[in-house]
Amino acid sequence: MIDLETIKLVVELLVAIFVAPLACVLWWMLRKLVADVRDLERALADYKLHVSENFSTKNDLTKAIEQFSRSVDAVFMKLERIEDKLDMKADKP
């Protein structure tokens, strides 16, 4: 007959065989997950820096649009002057 000490030893052996490797795998997965999160945090910080260095502000965009608008207005004014000169030449006999 199997005594209580033998059953205790078998249970401890089974725990050591199944639980210890499982704990090791879970520990490895947790460390990998923490490392991945740190890498993502670094990537996000790099992206934020890139955005802050390379994208224009609302103020810059407004200034660029105003400058473009002035340039277009100047072109249309020149076209109107050309049109007026052509009209004056057409009116002359």
Side-chain angles (χ1 to χ4, degrees), residues 6-67:
T6 307
I7 293 174
K8 184 178 174 186
L9 184 63
V10 169
V11 169
E12 288 176 356
L13 184 61
L14 288 175
V15 167
I17 290 173
F18 292 110
V19 174
L22 180 64
C24 289
V25 168
L26 289 175
W27 177 253
W28 175 81
M29 289 174 65
L30 179 64
R31 287 183 53 157
K32 175 96 171 92
L33 181 64
V34 168
D36 289 347
V37 168
R38 285 185 182 148
D39 289 343
L40 286 174
E41 286 174 345
R42 278 188 224 111
L44 180 60
D46 291 344
Y47 178 73
K48 285 180 179 180
L49 180 62
H50 171 75
V51 167
S52 68
E53 290 175 346
N54 295 314
F55 285 80
S56 63
T57 63
K58 186 176 180 180
N59 228 5
D60 293 338
L61 184 60
T62 303
K63 288 178 185 177
I65 290 172
E66 288 172 358
Q67 183 179 2

